[in-house]
Amino acid sequence: MTEDHPAVLALQALVRHPTVADRDPARTDPAPFTALRATLAEHFPRLHDLELTDVEPHALLVRWPGRTPGDPVVLMAHLDVVPVEDGWTHPPFAAEIHDGAVWGRGTLDDKGSVVGICAAVEELLAEGFVPSRDVWLSFGSTEEVSGTTAVDAVAQLRSRGVTPWFVLDEGGAVASGAFPMVTAPLAVVGVTEKGVTSVELVAEGAGGHASTPAANGPTARLARAITALERSPLPARAPAPTLELLRRLGPQLPAPLRPLLARADRLAPVLTRVLRAAGAEAAAMVRTTAAVTTLSGSPALNVIASSARAGVNLRVMVGDTVDGVLAHVREVVGDGVRVEVVERNEPSPVSPWDDDAFRLLERITTEEFPDAVPTPYVMMAATDARFFTAISERVYRFTPFRMTREQRATIHAADERIGVQDLLDGVRWYRRLLEELPA
Ligand SMILES: [Zn+2]
């Protein structure tokens, strides 16, 4: 009975610890994290006999020594989850099984991966298996709050002289319903991610009584800046991983459309225009986006603002740079509005797909999910993987679980759940990856 499988029991036990981190480490309740680490040790005892390093506050680095001194492989996942909101069909931290799925916060993001990796390692240890090269496991505890554990894990690995052959973190999935007219699931492997950069637009003035307003005050200038920004987006350009995705998608499309995508490289400008026009999600695949998120002005209805501010969240596309994007924003908003940089992150370097490491992931994916089409892509969201680009040229973002469109929408939302069989298929995928690492 699959529901009694040790991996399923382990996932249920981990989900029952509400490991929600806070941006302020002092405000994170450590109890669920401590309990989760104990549960992990209980369910995966052999793994916990390997060489363990604690990374503050609750992260874990594991070294599984291999047979040869080849460059090691790093498998990543994170132990923390995002908070829950209302609207769950089944309680978010009870890990109940309904309709063949384990329901709960973190089942997909990212305790499913934690269990997938640990169960594969545990099974292989029980069989006396030794990997061909060192395998490191890095389980962060602050991924969802952009905390320090991934940075600290990278520092640890660097100090040990570890230069990974490749790094695999959460990311794309075996995603069905990802593209209109395409019935095959796409196994999308993130080879880069956009850079999250935030600025505040600030307009200042004299303020004063609302009964005697002067023209062109801070709020009017700010409003003009915001509309100007929306009217002048950054130029759209499909980056190489997106073109490769379109090329691989081609054979899945109805016959009349196939030739178009087979020549994706040459038709890049046309495809870029098509994607740009095909809705917000597709448009985000081909350009740096800017979203005005926060707004503030005067605290009272009868007071003119002396300072008006708008927060802008920018997602910097591969091929653009933070400096280039900031120059564009400054030019568009013009004089009279200051641009203050709050955080700046470049897009991640692009990892290769015409490469043995990628081909290994691709082959195992094709063999384990024969109906799926593996392809590189650009991840829109930020992951801890980006920090590992400092020590490895090959950083891939893939979660080997089947996910429907509806399931993908439950990540960071209500009703997150993973199919029991999908979890077990994922365990097998990780197992094969470990077994088939070349020397
Ligand atoms: Zn995650």
Side-chain angles (χ1 to χ4, degrees), residues 390-407:
I391 54 169
S392 180
E393 281 167 36
R394 299 174 192 82
V395 177
Y396 300 113
R397 302 148 177 95
F398 178 63
T399 314
F401 300 135
R402 287 185 189 273
M403 293 184 203
T404 61
R405 178 184 268 277
E406 189 207 346
Q407 270 178 301

PDB file of all heavy atoms in Angstrom, residues 390-407:
ATOM      1  N   ALA A 390      27.936  30.988  -7.489  1.00  0.00           N
ATOM      2  CA  ALA A 390      29.275  31.478  -7.127  1.00  0.00           C
ATOM      3  C   ALA A 390      30.304  30.353  -7.108  1.00  0.00           C
ATOM      4  O   ALA A 390      31.495  30.609  -7.250  1.00  0.00           O
ATOM      5  CB  ALA A 390      29.222  32.162  -5.757  1.00  0.00           C
ATOM      6  N   ILE A 391      29.845  29.099  -6.929  1.00  0.00           N
ATOM      7  CA  ILE A 391      30.812  27.994  -6.854  1.00  0.00           C
ATOM      8  C   ILE A 391      30.611  26.932  -7.929  1.00  0.00           C
ATOM      9  O   ILE A 391      31.369  25.970  -7.997  1.00  0.00           O
ATOM     10  CB  ILE A 391      30.812  27.308  -5.459  1.00  0.00           C
ATOM     11  CG1 ILE A 391      29.402  26.866  -5.063  1.00  0.00           C
ATOM     12  CG2 ILE A 391      31.407  28.236  -4.395  1.00  0.00           C
ATOM     13  CD1 ILE A 391      29.364  25.955  -3.841  1.00  0.00           C
ATOM     14  N   SER A 392      29.592  27.086  -8.761  1.00  0.00           N
ATOM     15  CA  SER A 392      29.378  26.082  -9.819  1.00  0.00           C
ATOM     16  C   SER A 392      28.821  26.735 -11.080  1.00  0.00           C
ATOM     17  O   SER A 392      27.982  27.625 -11.010  1.00  0.00           O
ATOM     18  CB  SER A 392      28.418  24.990  -9.342  1.00  0.00           C
ATOM     19  OG  SER A 392      28.227  24.026 -10.358  1.00  0.00           O
ATOM     20  N   GLU A 393      29.297  26.239 -12.233  1.00  0.00           N
ATOM     21  CA  GLU A 393      28.800  26.758 -13.511  1.00  0.00           C
ATOM     22  C   GLU A 393      27.474  26.138 -13.881  1.00  0.00           C
ATOM     23  O   GLU A 393      26.789  26.607 -14.781  1.00  0.00           O
ATOM     24  CB  GLU A 393      29.774  26.400 -14.639  1.00  0.00           C
ATOM     25  CG  GLU A 393      30.982  27.276 -14.722  1.00  0.00           C
ATOM     26  CD  GLU A 393      32.023  26.650 -15.646  1.00  0.00           C
ATOM     27  OE1 GLU A 393      31.635  26.028 -16.662  1.00  0.00           O
ATOM     28  OE2 GLU A 393      33.211  26.773 -15.327  1.00  0.00           O
ATOM     29  N   ARG A 394      27.144  25.015 -13.217  1.00  0.00           N
ATOM     30  CA  ARG A 394      25.926  24.289 -13.581  1.00  0.00           C
ATOM     31  C   ARG A 394      24.988  24.265 -12.388  1.00  0.00           C
ATOM     32  O   ARG A 394      25.168  23.465 -11.474  1.00  0.00           O
ATOM     33  CB  ARG A 394      26.269  22.863 -14.014  1.00  0.00           C
ATOM     34  CG  ARG A 394      27.170  22.809 -15.233  1.00  0.00           C
ATOM     35  CD  ARG A 394      27.612  21.391 -15.543  1.00  0.00           C
ATOM     36  NE  ARG A 394      28.689  21.422 -16.522  1.00  0.00           N
ATOM     37  CZ  ARG A 394      29.960  21.649 -16.204  1.00  0.00           C
ATOM     38  NH1 ARG A 394      30.325  21.833 -14.933  1.00  0.00           N
ATOM     39  NH2 ARG A 394      30.873  21.700 -17.131  1.00  0.00           N
ATOM     40  N   VAL A 395      24.023  25.140 -12.421  1.00  0.00           N
ATOM     41  CA  VAL A 395      23.035  25.198 -11.352  1.00  0.00           C
ATOM     42  C   VAL A 395      21.661  25.015 -11.988  1.00  0.00           C
ATOM     43  O   VAL A 395      21.228  25.848 -12.791  1.00  0.00           O
ATOM     44  CB  VAL A 395      23.123  26.535 -10.585  1.00  0.00           C
ATOM     45  CG1 VAL A 395      22.038  26.618  -9.521  1.00  0.00           C
ATOM     46  CG2 VAL A 395      24.506  26.683  -9.957  1.00  0.00           C
ATOM     47  N   TYR A 396      21.014  23.889 -11.670  1.00  0.00           N
ATOM     48  CA  TYR A 396      19.745  23.545 -12.295  1.00  0.00           C
ATOM     49  C   TYR A 396      18.634  23.572 -11.255  1.00  0.00           C
ATOM     50  O   TYR A 396      18.849  23.261 -10.089  1.00  0.00           O
ATOM     51  CB  TYR A 396      19.843  22.166 -12.963  1.00  0.00           C
ATOM     52  CG  TYR A 396      20.927  22.142 -14.025  1.00  0.00           C
ATOM     53  CD1 TYR A 396      22.080  21.373 -13.857  1.00  0.00           C
ATOM     54  CD2 TYR A 396      20.808  22.927 -15.169  1.00  0.00           C
ATOM     55  CE1 TYR A 396      23.082  21.371 -14.819  1.00  0.00           C
ATOM     56  CE2 TYR A 396      21.807  22.938 -16.131  1.00  0.00           C
ATOM     57  CZ  TYR A 396      22.945  22.165 -15.955  1.00  0.00           C
ATOM     58  OH  TYR A 396      23.938  22.176 -16.891  1.00  0.00           O
ATOM     59  N   ARG A 397      17.458  23.983 -11.712  1.00  0.00           N
ATOM     60  CA  ARG A 397      16.321  24.155 -10.803  1.00  0.00           C
ATOM     61  C   ARG A 397      15.163  23.299 -11.304  1.00  0.00           C
ATOM     62  O   ARG A 397      14.467  23.685 -12.240  1.00  0.00           O
ATOM     63  CB  ARG A 397      15.939  25.637 -10.766  1.00  0.00           C
ATOM     64  CG  ARG A 397      17.102  26.542 -10.313  1.00  0.00           C
ATOM     65  CD  ARG A 397      17.016  27.887 -10.994  1.00  0.00           C
ATOM     66  NE  ARG A 397      18.050  28.832 -10.566  1.00  0.00           N
ATOM     67  CZ  ARG A 397      19.208  29.010 -11.218  1.00  0.00           C
ATOM     68  NH1 ARG A 397      19.480  28.305 -12.290  1.00  0.00           N
ATOM     69  NH2 ARG A 397      20.063  29.909 -10.782  1.00  0.00           N
ATOM     70  N   PHE A 398      15.005  22.129 -10.670  1.00  0.00           N
ATOM     71  CA  PHE A 398      13.993  21.175 -11.140  1.00  0.00           C
ATOM     72  C   PHE A 398      13.499  20.333  -9.981  1.00  0.00           C
ATOM     73  O   PHE A 398      14.282  19.872  -9.151  1.00  0.00           O
ATOM     74  CB  PHE A 398      14.608  20.262 -12.220  1.00  0.00           C
ATOM     75  CG  PHE A 398      13.668  19.202 -12.743  1.00  0.00           C
ATOM     76  CD1 PHE A 398      12.509  19.559 -13.419  1.00  0.00           C
ATOM     77  CD2 PHE A 398      13.937  17.858 -12.544  1.00  0.00           C
ATOM     78  CE1 PHE A 398      11.636  18.588 -13.903  1.00  0.00           C
ATOM     79  CE2 PHE A 398      13.072  16.867 -13.026  1.00  0.00           C
ATOM     80  CZ  PHE A 398      11.926  17.244 -13.706  1.00  0.00           C
ATOM     81  N   THR A 399      12.211  20.152  -9.897  1.00  0.00           N
ATOM     82  CA  THR A 399      11.570  19.317  -8.889  1.00  0.00           C
ATOM     83  C   THR A 399      10.905  18.160  -9.620  1.00  0.00           C
ATOM     84  O   THR A 399      10.008  18.396 -10.419  1.00  0.00           O
ATOM     85  CB  THR A 399      10.495  20.146  -8.137  1.00  0.00           C
ATOM     86  OG1 THR A 399      11.062  21.417  -7.794  1.00  0.00           O
ATOM     87  CG2 THR A 399      10.045  19.449  -6.884  1.00  0.00           C
ATOM     88  N   PRO A 400      11.345  16.913  -9.387  1.00  0.00           N
ATOM     89  CA  PRO A 400      10.867  15.811 -10.233  1.00  0.00           C
ATOM     90  C   PRO A 400       9.497  15.289  -9.832  1.00  0.00           C
ATOM     91  O   PRO A 400       9.311  14.093  -9.617  1.00  0.00           O
ATOM     92  CB  PRO A 400      11.949  14.746 -10.032  1.00  0.00           C
ATOM     93  CG  PRO A 400      12.417  14.974  -8.640  1.00  0.00           C
ATOM     94  CD  PRO A 400      12.330  16.455  -8.397  1.00  0.00           C
ATOM     95  N   PHE A 401       8.547  16.182  -9.713  1.00  0.00           N
ATOM     96  CA  PHE A 401       7.176  15.784  -9.384  1.00  0.00           C
ATOM     97  C   PHE A 401       6.242  16.250 -10.493  1.00  0.00           C
ATOM     98  O   PHE A 401       6.389  17.357 -11.008  1.00  0.00           O
ATOM     99  CB  PHE A 401       6.715  16.440  -8.073  1.00  0.00           C
ATOM    100  CG  PHE A 401       7.551  16.077  -6.879  1.00  0.00           C
ATOM    101  CD1 PHE A 401       7.955  17.059  -5.987  1.00  0.00           C
ATOM    102  CD2 PHE A 401       7.923  14.754  -6.638  1.00  0.00           C
ATOM    103  CE1 PHE A 401       8.730  16.737  -4.875  1.00  0.00           C
ATOM    104  CE2 PHE A 401       8.696  14.423  -5.531  1.00  0.00           C
ATOM    105  CZ  PHE A 401       9.094  15.414  -4.648  1.00  0.00           C
ATOM    106  N   ARG A 402       5.280  15.388 -10.817  1.00  0.00           N
ATOM    107  CA  ARG A 402       4.219  15.827 -11.720  1.00  0.00           C
ATOM    108  C   ARG A 402       3.366  16.857 -10.987  1.00  0.00           C
ATOM    109  O   ARG A 402       3.004  16.652  -9.826  1.00  0.00           O
ATOM    110  CB  ARG A 402       3.325  14.647 -12.113  1.00  0.00           C
ATOM    111  CG  ARG A 402       3.959  13.676 -13.069  1.00  0.00           C
ATOM    112  CD  ARG A 402       2.932  12.614 -13.477  1.00  0.00           C
ATOM    113  NE  ARG A 402       3.588  11.545 -14.224  1.00  0.00           N
ATOM    114  CZ  ARG A 402       3.778  11.568 -15.550  1.00  0.00           C
ATOM    115  NH1 ARG A 402       3.338  12.590 -16.270  1.00  0.00           N
ATOM    116  NH2 ARG A 402       4.392  10.571 -16.152  1.00  0.00           N
ATOM    117  N   MET A 403       3.057  17.952 -11.665  1.00  0.00           N
ATOM    118  CA  MET A 403       2.167  18.960 -11.087  1.00  0.00           C
ATOM    119  C   MET A 403       1.211  19.448 -12.169  1.00  0.00           C
ATOM    120  O   MET A 403       1.642  19.833 -13.250  1.00  0.00           O
ATOM    121  CB  MET A 403       2.964  20.168 -10.574  1.00  0.00           C
ATOM    122  CG  MET A 403       3.866  19.867  -9.387  1.00  0.00           C
ATOM    123  SD  MET A 403       4.666  21.387  -8.808  1.00  0.00           S
ATOM    124  CE  MET A 403       6.098  20.685  -7.965  1.00  0.00           C
ATOM    125  N   THR A 404      -0.067  19.427 -11.833  1.00  0.00           N
ATOM    126  CA  THR A 404      -1.044  19.994 -12.760  1.00  0.00           C
ATOM    127  C   THR A 404      -0.992  21.519 -12.636  1.00  0.00           C
ATOM    128  O   THR A 404      -0.397  22.063 -11.699  1.00  0.00           O
ATOM    129  CB  THR A 404      -2.472  19.550 -12.402  1.00  0.00           C
ATOM    130  OG1 THR A 404      -2.764  20.029 -11.079  1.00  0.00           O
ATOM    131  CG2 THR A 404      -2.606  18.036 -12.428  1.00  0.00           C
ATOM    132  N   ARG A 405      -1.627  22.181 -13.581  1.00  0.00           N
ATOM    133  CA  ARG A 405      -1.690  23.637 -13.526  1.00  0.00           C
ATOM    134  C   ARG A 405      -2.354  24.078 -12.207  1.00  0.00           C
ATOM    135  O   ARG A 405      -1.896  25.005 -11.550  1.00  0.00           O
ATOM    136  CB  ARG A 405      -2.497  24.139 -14.726  1.00  0.00           C
ATOM    137  CG  ARG A 405      -2.685  25.626 -14.773  1.00  0.00           C
ATOM    138  CD  ARG A 405      -3.587  25.996 -15.944  1.00  0.00           C
ATOM    139  NE  ARG A 405      -2.841  26.279 -17.156  1.00  0.00           N
ATOM    140  CZ  ARG A 405      -2.278  27.463 -17.416  1.00  0.00           C
ATOM    141  NH1 ARG A 405      -2.380  28.447 -16.574  1.00  0.00           N
ATOM    142  NH2 ARG A 405      -1.623  27.668 -18.538  1.00  0.00           N
ATOM    143  N   GLU A 406      -3.421  23.360 -11.850  1.00  0.00           N
ATOM    144  CA  GLU A 406      -4.144  23.713 -10.619  1.00  0.00           C
ATOM    145  C   GLU A 406      -3.237  23.538  -9.397  1.00  0.00           C
ATOM    146  O   GLU A 406      -3.221  24.375  -8.497  1.00  0.00           O
ATOM    147  CB  GLU A 406      -5.389  22.827 -10.491  1.00  0.00           C
ATOM    148  CG  GLU A 406      -6.320  23.270  -9.375  1.00  0.00           C
ATOM    149  CD  GLU A 406      -7.155  22.131  -8.801  1.00  0.00           C
ATOM    150  OE1 GLU A 406      -7.224  21.054  -9.430  1.00  0.00           O
ATOM    151  OE2 GLU A 406      -7.719  22.328  -7.711  1.00  0.00           O
ATOM    152  N   GLN A 407      -2.472  22.448  -9.379  1.00  0.00           N
ATOM    153  CA  GLN A 407      -1.557  22.243  -8.243  1.00  0.00           C
ATOM    154  C   GLN A 407      -0.497  23.326  -8.170  1.00  0.00           C
ATOM    155  O   GLN A 407      -0.148  23.798  -7.091  1.00  0.00           O
ATOM    156  CB  GLN A 407      -0.848  20.888  -8.387  1.00  0.00           C
ATOM    157  CG  GLN A 407      -1.565  19.735  -7.741  1.00  0.00           C
ATOM    158  CD  GLN A 407      -0.800  18.455  -8.006  1.00  0.00           C
ATOM    159  OE1 GLN A 407      -0.583  18.071  -9.158  1.00  0.00           O
ATOM    160  NE2 GLN A 407      -0.377  17.799  -6.950  1.00  0.00           N
TER     161      GLN A 407
END
